[in-house]
Each structure stands twice: as structure tokens, then as C-alpha cells.
Amino acid sequence: MILSDVFKHSEISRASEFRTNDADDPVVVQFAASNSQDLADAAVLVAPHCSAVDLNCGCPQKWAMHEGIGSALMEKPEQVSNMVRTVKEKVKLSGITLADGITPPSTSIKIRVHDDIRRTIDYVKLAEAAGVDWITVHGRTSKQRSASVKVNLDAIKTIKEQASVPIFANGDIFTREDADKTVRYTGVDGVMSARGLLENPALFAGFKTTPVHALEAYTRLAIGYGTNFFIMHHHLMMMTDKSMTKTEKKLFNCLPSSAAVVQYLDVNYGIEFSSRPNWPWVRSGNGEFLVGLE
């Protein structure tokens, strides 16, 4: 979730918060915004490099609500409709062609549900009238927390039955079986996983926990593309959570550097990082060059 106002004004934000390449397709860029102008301006900046722009209307964190973004937008259906309409119009007028040749970009929203599902249906209808291309529904209200309240699949099912655009379900997707069960029950067009994929990026391939080859692939890519150590380490902490003992977690979570992480994975997971040919290729303006550990 990228803050649209910061992204459009800050070169540092644009350089650090959004990176992609020609082989990365499709790409959906999710923004948090409180007004149409910021969202549209940010959308124009990423349009040449993505297939869709998504507006986050579901983040329940207090800071987001205070800023008028995320779940705060669940109380502003007309504003959200205007934001969707403005993005599509501004990108179309800009004449930009997207990475996959589509113009204007697909525009989606990620929402939560209301206590009264009829309000959510009305919300969806307004977004549809504004031209939204698909909607992801997290089956909890803004006040409900994932750790204590089960996702409301009945609410998602009702929304799917009433909607005229594709609906994706979100919430409590931790295994391939969870995804299949959700699709069968609700009839949605697909699912989104957040916590589940952070813990196991091979979830949709049917793995119960993160396989070793996924740990290796992520680490090589993270180091090869210069991912911030804090972010890389945090992702690996989540990926290894179910394969480590408490003692192992305590040690791994205190590792101070990328080199220490590489050494730990080498010794404890048998991942050999000394072979350079397996490091990712990164395209530059002067051709292609290999990046990785020396």
C-alpha cells in the first residue's frame, strides 16, 4: 500500500517503493489516498509500468483511519466512486499506454464489509457505476481484527451474487485448500492472500509451509536487487516461522546483516550462495549485467 500523496511528490518514495521489470506481468499497484487528485496523479506515474491501479479502502490501522485513507473510505462511497472515475479519465487523457498495451488501466478497489451488508451492496453498485473493473472484498468490518474474528464468507457470497464485476475474496487464506474452499462456497472469481503469502509465498503451489527453494529464490532476488535488509530479514522471518523452533527463531531474528542471513541459511538450510550463475540478471540501460554477492 503506497501513499499516493507522498509518492507523487517524493522522488525518494518513487525510487524505493515501486520497482518492476519487463518480465514482471501482470503488476497491480495499490495506493492509499484520501482524494481523487493525489490518486490520479500517482496513477499516471505508474501507468506505463503496470496493468492496474488499486485503491485501498480496507486498511483498518488507526493511523490510516486518522489520515482519511484505508477503511475510513468505507464511510465515503461517493468519494470512492469519484476517485475511481478520476483515475480512469486522467490516465486516458494522458495518452499513456500501459505495460500490457491496455489504456486506460484497469482500476480496482479493495474494501471491507459493513455490519449491514446492504450498505456494502450499495457501495459496490456506486463503484461499478464509476467504472471499477473488479473489487476485492475482505470479509470483516473495519473494527474486526483478523486474530479474533473469522472472515464472513456469507457476506462475500452475497456481494458476489449482487455484483456485475469480478469479485475477489480476501481473509483467512493460508493454504491452497483455504483458497479452494472459499471459491467453492462464495462463487468468487478469485482470492487474495496477504498474511498467508507472507508466511508462505508457495501457498498457491500447494505447499503447506515455505519450501527451501522458495527461501533461496527470495534471498537471491532480494540481495540481487538491493532490497533493504530490514525488509528482507522481516520477510524471511515470516517465511521460516513454521519451520523453526523458538530457539532458532530467537537466533535468526537477531541476525544483524544480509551476510549473516546468507551464512545462517547456508549452515542450517543447506542453501549454497557462492555460485554466481544463479544470481538474477538485471537489465540496465547499457544492456544486461549480473548482480549478487562477490
Side-chain angles (χ1 to χ4, degrees), residues 28-46:
V28 178
V29 183
Q30 185 186 78
F31 286 109
S34 60
N35 64 80
S36 299
Q37 191 64 52
D38 286 343
L39 179 62
D41 289 345
V44 168
L45 290 171
V46 299

Side-chain angles (χ1 to χ4, degrees), residues 4-288:
S4 60
D5 56 345
V6 177
F7 188 81
K8 79 172 191 176
H9 289 300
S10 170
E11 184 176 344
I12 294 176
S13 173
R14 292 192 293 275
S16 63
E17 296 192 53
F18 176 64
R19 295 182 183 182
T20 186
N21 59 55
D22 292 341
D24 203 11
D25 182 61
V27 174
V28 178
V29 183
Q30 185 186 78
F31 286 109
S34 60
N35 64 80
S36 299
Q37 191 64 52
D38 286 343
L39 179 62
D41 289 345
V44 168
L45 290 171
V46 299
H49 313 290
C50 69
S51 304
V53 173
D54 182 75
L55 172 62
N56 186 310
C57 304
C59 180
Q61 297 183 69
K62 290 183 178 179
W63 72 267
M65 300 283 283
H66 179 74
E67 295 292 329
I69 61 177
S71 287
L73 295 175
M74 290 305 299
E75 303 303 317
K76 302 175 180 180
E78 291 83 5
Q79 180 175 328
V80 170
S81 298
N82 184 56
M83 294 166 83
V84 169
R85 187 178 296 108
T86 302
V87 167
K88 298 183 80 74
E89 291 175 350
K90 183 156 187 176
V91 175
K92 184 176 182 179
L93 288 172
S94 71
I96 293 173
T97 300
L98 271 71
D100 55 9
I102 298 175
T103 182
S106 295
T107 305
S108 63
I109 58 175
K110 182 176 184 289
I111 67 173
R112 289 196 168 224
V113 298
H114 300 89
D115 289 320
D116 183 351
I117 196 62
R118 292 173 296 182
R119 291 185 60 199
T120 315
I121 297 298
D122 291 341
Y123 194 103
V124 167
K125 293 299 181 183
L126 280 172
E128 289 176 337
V132 75
D133 292 288
W134 80 85
I135 299 173
T136 301
V137 182
H138 184 113
R140 294 182 176 90
T141 68
S142 300
K143 295 180 180 179
Q144 293 174 329
R145 294 296 174 262
S146 301
S148 57
V149 180
K150 288 288 186 180
V151 65
N152 187 343
L153 294 181
D154 289 317
I156 298 175
K157 181 179 180 180
T158 299
I159 292 169
K160 170 57 185 173
E161 292 170 346
Q162 297 293 321
S164 61
V165 298
I167 299 295
F168 290 77
N170 178 227
D172 293 351
I173 305 293
F174 293 101
T175 66
R176 175 65 180 268
E177 289 73 20
D178 291 338
D180 293 339
K181 176 183 176 181
T182 296
V183 171
R184 285 195 301 269
Y185 187 84
T186 63
V188 293
D189 301 276
V191 300
M192 174 188 287
S193 174
R195 291 176 297 150
L197 279 177
L198 287 172
E199 294 177 4
N200 176 17
L203 183 161
F204 290 124
F207 289 89
K208 301 295 184 183
T209 58
T210 303
V212 173
H213 69 264
L215 290 174
E216 178 180 3
Y218 173 75
T219 305
R220 289 185 183 279
L221 289 168
I223 295 177
Y225 286 106
T227 301
N228 174 280
F229 169 69
F230 174 82
I231 294 174
M232 182 191 79
H233 190 208
H234 183 72
H235 278 297
L236 288 170
M237 285 165 56
M238 297 189 73
M239 291 183 206
T240 57
D241 183 67
K242 289 184 170 61
S243 63
M244 287 185 176
T245 64
K246 289 184 178 180
T247 301
E248 290 171 334
K249 290 178 188 177
K250 184 175 181 180
L251 174 61
F252 186 80
N253 295 354
C254 292
L255 294 177
S257 66
S258 297
V261 167
V262 166
Q263 182 179 24
Y264 185 95
L265 294 177
D266 188 342
V267 172
N268 294 277
Y269 284 83
I271 301 175
E272 176 58 62
F273 288 99
S274 61
S275 177
R276 287 193 58 169
N278 290 326
W279 287 94
W281 286 92
V282 181
R283 185 178 299 278
S284 71
N286 298 320
E288 292 184 333

